[in-house]
Amino acid sequence: MKVAPSILSADFSQLRQDIELIEREGADWVHVDVMDGQFVPNITFGPNVVEAIRPHTSLPLDVHLMIVDPDRYINAFAEAGADIITIHAESTDHLHRSLQLINQLNVKSGVAINPGTPVSAIEPVLDLVDLVLVMTVNPGFGGQSFIDSTVQKMAQLNDLRQQHDYHYAIEVDGGIKAGPETVRCLEAGVDVFVAGSYIYGAEDPAERIAKLKAVGEP
Ligand code: DX5
Ligand code: ZN
């Protein structure tokens, strides 16, 4: 399993140190939550923050766009140094076109679904993406509780992947900690675990990364 700490819960006054810390401690990706105050009720980072952190880590920057009409900013995030750009199915009227836009750039593409959105909403685009992000909380804030009904969507995505030989990774985001939910996600076929408050909210983030990784070890 891969662990992608979300810098939404980092200390923004020392973002560079907080990113260097997780890289040292075995994180696999850096998860960057971009919020516009419209798609979700919170505002965070723009492309200039991605550009600022880019030189300070060799880890892939996993950019999760929670913004309306993402086409407007896809290019800017790619140029800023994003490695993966994930857009929400609910945020664009032309999901297929938006994903094509990402695929034309030198970055990996992802599609995200909110807890209230079924897998069927993204079935027609599953052959286009490198990543499917199953939101396990309603997006907008860190520190919320994992929503159980999302697990069956992970299993469904895993089945579709096997049936059609799709290559996407399955990622979960929201309320992840080293507990029974994570075990169930793993069993359902999840590859990448985003964790914000569990890692950055702890006295010892290194210990939390190790604990999370240990769940995935036999
Ligand atoms: C939620 C964000 C998450 C958030 C997760 O809107 O997409 O990435 O940082 O935070 P935790 O792990 O605290 O639920
Ligand atoms: Zn996220």
Side-chain angles (χ1 to χ4, degrees):
M1 73 188 265
K2 284 186 165 58
V3 171
S6 165
I7 57 169
L8 179 64
S9 295
D11 179 346
F12 295 163
S13 68
Q14 48 157 38
L15 207 42
R16 175 178 173 174
Q17 289 96 312
D18 275 8
I19 289 170
E20 286 169 349
L21 166 85
I22 55 155
E23 178 159 12
R24 227 173 21 244
E25 300 302 335
D28 298 283
W29 294 355
V30 179
H31 186 81
V32 183
D33 285 309
V34 175
M35 306 184 184
D36 65 352
Q38 204 175 341
F39 183 69
V40 289
N42 195 4
I43 299 178
T44 56
F45 323 109
N48 53 351
V49 173
V50 172
E51 193 179 357
I53 61 182
R54 179 67 286 177
H56 303 296
T57 180
S58 58
L59 296 179
L61 296 180
D62 174 30
V63 175
H64 175 193
L65 297 184
M66 287 161 275
I67 64 178
V68 293
D69 200 2
D71 298 20
R72 299 171 296 152
Y73 293 101
I74 286 168
N75 208 36
F77 280 101
E79 275 180 10
D83 295 278
I84 305 155
I85 297 180
T86 297
I87 57 171
H88 268 262
E90 308 85 357
S91 72
T92 169
D93 288 335
H94 298 282
L95 182 59
H96 191 279
R97 184 165 64 201
S98 302
L99 290 168
Q100 277 183 323
L101 211 61
I102 302 176
N103 285 341
Q104 282 162 13
L105 305 168
N106 193 22
V107 291
K108 297 208 182 294
S109 59
V111 64
I113 47 173
N114 284 330
T117 303
V119 169
S120 59
I122 55 169
E123 263 192 75
V125 298
L126 288 177
D127 63 324
L128 286 184
V129 295
D130 302 295
L131 182 81
V132 179
L133 170 51
V134 178
M135 286 306 299
T136 44
V137 298
N138 287 300
F141 302 95
Q144 306 179 78
S145 302
F146 184 92
I147 298 170
D148 284 311
S149 59
T150 58
V151 177
Q152 56 98 6
K153 295 198 280 183
M154 303 164 202
Q156 210 180 331
L157 284 161
N158 192 29
D159 286 346
L160 286 167
R161 178 165 63 177
Q162 279 164 10
Q163 266 170 39
H164 299 277
D165 227 9
Y166 292 144
H167 68 278
Y168 53 78
I170 304 173
E171 182 178 55
V172 286
D173 183 6
I176 297 297
K177 49 190 188 301
E181 307 88 344
T182 296
V183 174
R184 290 174 57 220
C185 294
L186 268 172
E187 285 168 359
V190 172
D191 309 286
V192 188
F193 291 79
V194 176
S197 52
Y198 180 68
I199 292 174
Y200 279 119
E203 284 279 306
D204 185 359
E207 186 206 4
R208 292 285 172 91
I209 293 173
K211 272 192 165 168
L212 203 49
K213 290 221 140 186
V215 179
E217 275 148 25

